[in-house]
Amino acid sequence: MKWIWKALKLLLVTVLFVTAVRCFELVREFRCTAVITLDGTVPGAAEAEEICEDEAGEEVLAVCFFWEETANVFCEENGRSAVVTLVVTEGNPALLVFGGSELYWREDGCLIDQDTAYSIFGSGQASGQTLWIGGKSYTVCGTFASELPTVIRSVSDSDESALTQVAVRASSTSNLQGKAEQFLTRHGLSGTVISTVYLTAFAGDLLLLVPLLLIWRLAGHAAGKRTALIQISSLFFLAFCTIGLAFRYFEIPSDMIPTKWSDFSFWGTWWEEQKNHILLLLTMSLSSAQTHILWNCFVSLCSSIAAAFLAVLS
């Protein structure tokens, strides 16, 4: 019975670890993205388009303005409908969802989450289908994973609502908060910047915990014994995989490294900033894109910790 328990435990560790990696891969692309909730004067569609073009010319940040509202969408062919969060964008929707670039500058197109696509069209792959939103038809350009029923479309000339949020993406995580604040200053805007740089970095770094623990356990069993070839091979295989994971996922954000190691006040200031940031995440109304990132980071972290706990059990 003991070997059955060990086999089941190893299987469960593997499933949890794969889940952690899969969830992290869903948000890895967005680690360099910050979302700004604008206050005060917010831009309309024409001004937002001009800002996006200016930023594209500077090649510093990719920008996508958006707002969210509740809407009813339906398929005229089968009469099925759904209540969704409608995200209206100006700029590149790839900053909000994986694969969003398929909608870039397509005013007659839309993206729909996979679960809603299945409930309306009977399939999670709905590209080419026609979806009606607010009395106007849109061609589905693609689907995406989301925890909430969500449809994304580009802004049109008939839209009157203000674009109250903006996603900005830099080429790296270095000083992302500062770059977002500089963006606001450049265009005379004001707002609250929310980024998940440290959370995604922590989730990625934690992926190394399980293989490191397995190497430790395997090395401990092999120490002082006549080690079988299969154990040596397994040890080298795990070490090789861990190195590969480290190259792909391990990251220490540069903002966590003080310019002078003797600056002991750095960590107190940094921790205070992170506490305020966490409070903002808990108290603010988050967009569907932010909810998707936070949920998958949470699942990745929990899966990594659970897998690590099982890996150290005797």
Side-chain angles (χ1 to χ4, degrees), residues 161-174:
S161 299
L163 295 152
T164 55
Q165 293 181 291
V166 55
V168 296
R169 178 176 295 174
S171 57
S172 70
T173 59
S174 177

Side-chain angles (χ1 to χ4, degrees), residues 17-295:
F17 180 69
V18 171
T19 300
V21 173
R22 179 181 174 277
C23 288
F24 182 74
E25 282 290 344
L26 290 174
V27 300
R28 183 170 178 265
E29 182 181 345
F30 303 98
R31 68 191 188 283
C32 300
T33 303
V35 175
I36 307 169
T37 300
L38 301 174
D39 51 44
T41 303
V42 295
E47 187 181 351
E49 182 179 3
E50 185 178 336
I51 291 173
C52 290
E53 290 174 352
D54 289 345
E55 291 296 326
E58 294 291 333
E59 297 185 350
V60 176
L61 293 172
V63 179
C64 180
F65 286 87
F66 65 99
W67 85 77
E68 297 186 349
E69 60 186 33
T70 301
N72 186 71
V73 299
F74 71 96
C75 173
E76 194 174 60
E77 285 75 11
N78 58 29
R80 295 178 182 174
S81 63
V83 177
V84 301
T85 297
L86 177 64
V87 183
V88 183
T89 67
E90 175 62 62
N92 189 353
L95 274 66
L96 302 178
V97 294
F98 184 78
S101 56
E102 297 176 15
L103 184 61
Y104 203 12
W105 305 120
R106 284 199 59 179
E107 190 173 314
D108 63 338
C110 71
L111 299 170
I112 185 171
D113 75 277
Q114 293 167 353
D115 291 339
T116 305
Y118 188 84
S119 67
I120 292 180
F121 301 113
S123 171
Q125 301 299 321
S127 297
Q129 299 280 3
T130 300
L131 190 69
W132 287 80
I133 310 171
K136 184 178 178 181
S137 64
Y138 295 84
T139 301
V140 177
C141 301
T143 59
F144 58 93
S146 176
E147 286 64 48
L148 301 173
T150 307
V151 172
I152 302 175
R153 68 168 177 84
S154 297
V155 70
S156 65
D157 296 334
S158 61
D159 289 317
E160 297 179 354
S161 299
L163 295 152
T164 55
Q165 293 181 291
V166 55
V168 296
R169 178 176 295 174
S171 57
S172 70
T173 59
S174 177
N175 193 29
L176 180 60
Q177 185 88 9
K179 290 173 183 175
E181 290 170 355
Q182 290 166 14
F183 164 81
L184 292 173
T185 302
R186 278 198 302 274
H187 300 287
L189 302 172
S190 61
T192 303
V193 181
I194 296 292
S195 72
T196 55
V197 169
Y198 301 111
L199 181 61
T200 52
F202 182 53
D205 295 345
L206 207 60
L207 293 176
L208 299 176
L209 184 59
V210 171
L212 287 173
L213 285 172
L214 290 175
I215 289 174
W216 171 69
R217 289 293 304 274
L218 195 58
H221 283 303
K225 298 179 181 179
R226 188 173 181 178
T227 307
L229 179 61
I230 189 170
Q231 288 179 304
I232 297 174
S233 301
S234 300
L235 194 59
F236 274 104
F237 176 74
L238 278 172
F240 179 78
C241 291
T242 304
I243 292 171
L245 287 169
F247 273 108
R248 181 167 179 82
Y249 297 125
F250 186 74
E251 179 183 11
I252 299 177
S254 58
D255 297 348
M256 286 184 64
I257 303 173
T259 53
K260 293 182 180 180
W261 291 105
S262 58
D263 183 9
F264 299 110
S265 64
F266 172 84
W267 296 108
T269 303
W270 180 86
W271 177 242
E272 195 63 35
E273 290 175 352
Q274 297 319 302
K275 284 197 296 184
N276 294 334
H277 204 73
I278 292 170
L279 285 174
L280 281 174
L281 284 171
L282 294 175
T283 57
M284 287 188 66
S285 177
L286 300 177
S287 67
S288 56
Q290 289 172 304
T291 302
H292 175 72
I293 292 171
L294 290 174
W295 172 251

